[in-house]
Amino acid sequence: MPESDRDSVMEKAIQEFDEITRDASKVQRETLKRILEENGETEYLQNLGLKGRTDIESYRACVPLVTHKDIAPYIQRIVDGDNSKILTGKPVTSISLSSGTTQGKPKYLLFNEELVLNTMEIYRLSYAFRNREFPLEKGRALQFIYGSKQLKTNGGLTLTTATTNVYLSSQFKSTLKSIQSQCTSPDEVIFCPDFLQSLYCHLLCGLLYKDQVQFISATFAHSLVVAFQSFEKDYLVLINDVRTGVLSDKITNTIIRTAVSEILHPNPELADEIFKICEGLSNWYGVIQEIWPNCKYVYGIMTGSMEHYTRKLKHYAGTLPLVCSEYGSSEGWIGSVVDPKKPPESACFAIVPDIGFFEFIPLKNNDDDGNCEPVGLTEVQVGEEYEIIITTFAGLYRYRLGDILRVEGFYNSTPLVKFMCRKNLILTINVDKNTEKDLQLVIDEASKLLSAEKLDLLDYTSYADVSSDPGHYVIFWELNSQAKEEVLQNCCDCMDRTFIDAAYMGSRKTGAIGPLELRVVEKGTFRKILYYYLSCGTSVGQFKTPRCVGACKIVLDILNEGVVERVFSRVYD
């Protein structure tokens, strides 16, 4: 596609978004009507007595709020081979697996052609807004994307991760080409079953096309940090591959060896150039912009639990901007970044009103039983926090996603939201409640003490230990190097003091909750957690370090086996 035509198509995408967001309330009514017309004959909706009605009032009156637990039996029937219209009117093409890092085990979700169309729509829209601010030239993208194992259900459907379902779709490649996002790596690298071999070859292919790379991306910021940590370790081996034109013995998979060897030829001049750049770097600062001089930005999900990794990613990126990608989940897409210049910590998402039907539970009126009245997309208030409810074209009806959002403003009449945290990731011993966001604030405060000592917190998680009385919070840290005992003690005290939930503070003062414990684990421990989830079928592109590990004994065992130091808080003594 000529560049002028591509620009015209992208501007049209923004114009169309402007049109549907001018009267988002009307578009929401029309979107719900479409969803219910397509799926009105399903067993699920028929049993709820909707009787073909498609208006919002009838829908809310008949259809209850649900979690995955409520619909899991329906999905299981589809997994087992029931081809009747259970949750969707259109055929289910495959089953998606969620990452499993939030709940401790993967969830089954339906995947169909509508989700593919939604994905391509939001890819184009996000690209249009990015390209307006950071215009790309003709080239490629170094994308650290990974397919996962593809299994078959008892009913004969493909079972794999949501991201892999997208990569397998016939529209994926053509869409990437239309938005100047062709991968530097061949398909065999993306779908290699061995993550480490796939990662190595992504890096190598990125070096081979170094002058063509226009941007660098991964699904999550964590994947980008892992990639460049691996580059630090393997850069001499990679350079030797470039120099000799022979792939390292690290790569044992014959399919990936053949595919990469076809584009790998001896290039000593390029090898010398890359070596000189690497040797001239100071602690790998700015490695991305130095090796890939035409790269315009680094792109991925950088909000929520990914925000922790942006500090290290900024170090690798140098002065290149970090740009947040779209907001979605295994269940479906929600919003797009319309102001890509904003740094990750300030990123907001404009909810796309025709991609699903959205409702919001106001947190200030929410009680423990969830008996509260949701409001519509255009009824939310700036500055307030909400739990989002989604209705999709893929069989989810008034589904509580579990994400907490804060409304920052509006783009025309659709809300601009900031992701705050996951609702169900809560540290609690008795009456205390500390969310993922509370934990992140605590970690950020203690990290300032580490920075003063030139130490980096590589990763972290938490655990509410109730194996003894009184129970207490445990925070696991992995550091880049050994810290003095005094530093760890001060950090432990700082974290205990920074949990400002009134119930927690009161319980600590009365001894109902014991002193916070900091457990430092050896380097590589969190990488073992990644490998565990990969062995369970999660793809690297979906992996998020669990911020609270109470639901998974195996992960807790991995952490405890890696503990090298333990410190207890002296606060409230």
Side-chain angles (χ1 to χ4, degrees):
M1 182 186 293
E3 190 171 334
S4 58
D5 290 350
R6 181 182 289 112
D7 291 343
S8 176
V9 169
M10 293 306 112
E11 279 304 313
K12 184 180 178 183
I14 294 176
Q15 290 171 8
E16 289 174 351
F17 186 65
D18 284 343
E19 288 173 11
I20 65 172
T21 55
R22 285 196 183 96
D23 191 350
S25 179
K26 177 185 176 184
V27 173
Q28 279 282 274
R29 290 193 298 272
E30 293 170 347
T31 301
L32 178 63
K33 185 173 184 286
R34 274 206 307 134
I35 292 172
L36 296 181
E37 284 177 346
E38 286 185 12
N39 302 291
E41 295 182 3
T42 59
E43 175 188 323
Y44 183 80
L45 293 178
Q46 287 285 322
N47 288 346
L48 291 172
L50 204 53
K51 297 179 180 178
R53 289 172 291 179
T54 61
D55 60 285
I56 293 176
E57 294 74 22
S58 298
Y59 181 63
R60 286 177 171 169
C62 295
V63 179
L65 301 180
V66 297
T67 63
H68 188 269
K69 182 180 178 181
D70 299 308
I71 61 167
Y74 296 94
I75 296 176
Q76 189 62 52
R77 286 170 53 197
I78 298 169
V79 168
D80 291 337
D82 190 333
N83 293 321
S84 62
K85 295 180 179 181
I86 299 173
L87 287 169
T88 60
K90 292 183 178 180
V92 174
T93 55
S94 58
I95 301 295
S96 290
L97 282 168
S98 69
S99 66
T101 52
T102 300
Q103 299 289 347
K105 62 179 182 178
K107 296 177 294 192
Y108 288 164
L109 296 159
L110 305 186
F111 191 89
N112 62 13
E113 192 61 27
E114 287 285 354
L115 279 180
V116 175
L117 296 174
N118 287 346
T119 301
M120 302 310 141
E121 175 190 346
I122 208 158
Y123 278 3
R124 293 188 190 94
L125 178 62
S126 296
Y127 169 78
F129 280 108
R130 290 200 315 277
N131 205 51
R132 180 184 273 183
E133 299 297 337
F134 308 108
L136 299 183
E137 300 164 12
K138 187 177 181 181
R140 295 174 179 262
L142 171 49
Q143 300 196 59
F144 294 96
I145 56 178
Y146 309 90
S148 62
K149 290 182 289 187
Q150 299 151 49
L151 307 173
K152 288 291 183 182
T153 68
N154 293 336
L157 293 170
T158 299
L159 174 66
T160 189
T161 59
T163 49
T164 303
N165 273 321
V166 171
Y167 303 153
L168 289 169
S169 70
S170 59
Q171 299 183 49
F172 179 65
K173 270 193 168 183
S174 61
T175 299
L176 290 190
K177 186 175 182 180
S178 72
I179 60 175
Q180 296 177 288
S181 303
Q182 285 179 281
C183 298
T184 53
S185 302
D187 286 353
E188 290 84 354
V189 174
I190 296 171
F191 291 103
C192 176
D194 187 305
F195 157 61
L196 292 177
Q197 294 188 52
S198 181
L199 170 55
Y200 182 91
C201 290
H202 274 315
L203 288 167
L204 179 59
C205 293
L207 294 177
L208 297 178
Y209 293 107
K210 69 180 287 295
D211 292 332
Q212 295 183 40
V213 170
Q214 292 289 300
F215 70 92
I216 293 175
S217 72
T219 305
F220 291 116
H222 173 266
S223 296
L224 289 164
V225 170
V226 167
F228 288 101
Q229 286 173 338
S230 296
F231 184 80
E232 287 186 48
K233 180 169 65 73
D234 289 334
Y235 80 101
L236 290 175
V237 185
L238 287 159
I239 289 172
N240 187 63
D241 288 2
V242 174
R243 185 181 306 282
T244 63
V246 178
L247 194 56
S248 165
D249 291 341
K250 284 173 171 283
I251 309 306
T252 58
N253 182 288
T254 54
I255 295 175
I256 198 173
R257 279 195 73 89
T258 301
V260 175
S261 295
E262 287 181 2
I263 60 173
L264 178 62
H265 308 289
N267 195 334
E269 293 82 8
L270 178 60
D272 288 342
E273 180 186 352
I274 297 168
F275 179 78
K276 184 178 179 181
I277 291 171
C278 292
E279 291 300 300
L281 294 171
S282 175
N283 195 28
W284 297 99
Y285 175 80
V287 59
I288 295 176
Q289 66 182 135
E290 294 298 328
I291 290 184
W292 292 277
N294 296 313
C295 181
K296 305 297 191 298
Y297 53 81
V298 180
Y299 182 64
I301 295 173
M302 302 182 190
T303 54
S305 63
M306 291 298 120
E307 203 170 309
H308 168 74
Y309 305 104
T310 58
R311 182 170 175 268
K312 186 66 175 177
L313 194 51
K314 286 176 183 176
H315 179 83
Y316 287 134
T319 59
L320 285 176
L322 303 186
V323 179
C324 280
S325 62
E326 311 84 5
Y327 170 35
S329 64
S330 299
E331 287 86 350
W333 291 105
I334 296 168
S336 175
V337 171
V338 294
D339 187 359
K341 298 192 306 300
K342 282 190 173 182
E345 61 271 18
S346 303
C348 294
F349 305 93
I351 295 181
V352 183
D354 68 347
I355 215 162
F357 178 70
F358 303 103
E359 300 171 87
F360 301 84
I361 300 175
L363 288 194
K364 63 182 180 181
N365 295 324
N366 197 1
D367 57 36
D368 290 338
D369 297 324
N371 297 321
C372 46
E373 190 63 34
V375 298
L377 181 70
T378 59
E379 298 170 322
V380 296
Q381 300 295 314
V382 174
E384 298 295 336
E385 293 188 3
Y386 300 86
E387 177 189 353
I388 187 170
I389 305 164
I390 62 173
T391 295
T392 72
F393 288 92
L396 298 178
Y397 307 100
R398 307 198 78 196
Y399 181 91
R400 298 179 78 153
L401 190 60
D403 287 358
I404 304 300
L405 312 176
R406 185 173 67 211
V407 179
E408 299 291 314
F410 283 86
Y411 182 95
N412 291 330
S413 64
T414 196
L416 290 165
V417 299
K418 180 178 176 63
F419 178 88
M420 300 304 293
C421 62
R422 293 283 296 167
K423 183 184 180 187
N424 54 355
L425 289 180
I426 291 179
L427 272 173
T428 180
I429 300 293
N430 43 54
V431 294
D432 54 301
K433 288 183 180 179
N434 281 292
T435 67
E436 179 186 10
K437 188 65 177 177
D438 296 324
L439 176 62
Q440 184 179 316
L441 292 171
V442 166
I443 295 295
D444 289 347
E445 196 63 28
S447 294
K448 295 174 184 176
L449 301 179
L450 291 175
S451 297
E453 301 293 326
K454 297 185 178 179
L455 293 166
D456 283 337
L457 176 60
L458 300 180
D459 223 328
Y460 69 92
T461 190
S462 64
Y463 171 60
D465 188 348
V466 292
S467 61
S468 58
D469 191 26
H472 68 290
Y473 290 2
V474 179
I475 310 296
F476 292 93
W477 276 9
E478 183 176 322
L479 302 173
N480 66 327
S481 59
Q482 189 172 359
K484 296 177 182 177
E485 185 176 343
E486 180 185 1
V487 173
L488 294 178
Q489 185 65 66
N490 290 338
C491 288
C492 185
D493 293 346
C494 174
M495 288 191 289
D496 203 7
R497 193 183 300 113
T498 311
F499 278 114
I500 57 173
D501 170 62
Y504 178 79
M505 294 170 66
S507 295
R508 283 287 287 115
K509 289 174 182 176
T510 61
I513 295 178
L516 181 144
E517 180 184 0
L518 172 60
R519 298 181 190 174
V520 180
V521 299
E522 63 186 0
K523 284 186 72 173
T525 298
F526 278 82
R527 187 67 71 93
K528 291 178 182 178
I529 295 173
L530 166 62
Y531 294 157
Y532 163 70
Y533 279 105
L534 294 183
S535 72
C536 296
T538 298
S539 74
V540 178
Q542 284 190 298
F543 176 77
K544 304 180 288 291
T545 298
R547 294 309 183 201
C548 186
V549 298
C552 187
K553 183 180 182 300
I554 295 176
V555 172
L556 188 59
D557 288 344
I558 293 171
L559 289 163
N560 283 327
E561 287 169 6
V563 172
V564 292
E565 291 187 72
R566 299 171 65 161
V567 181
F568 286 88
S569 169
R570 301 168 300 188
V571 177
Y572 305 109
D573 283 354

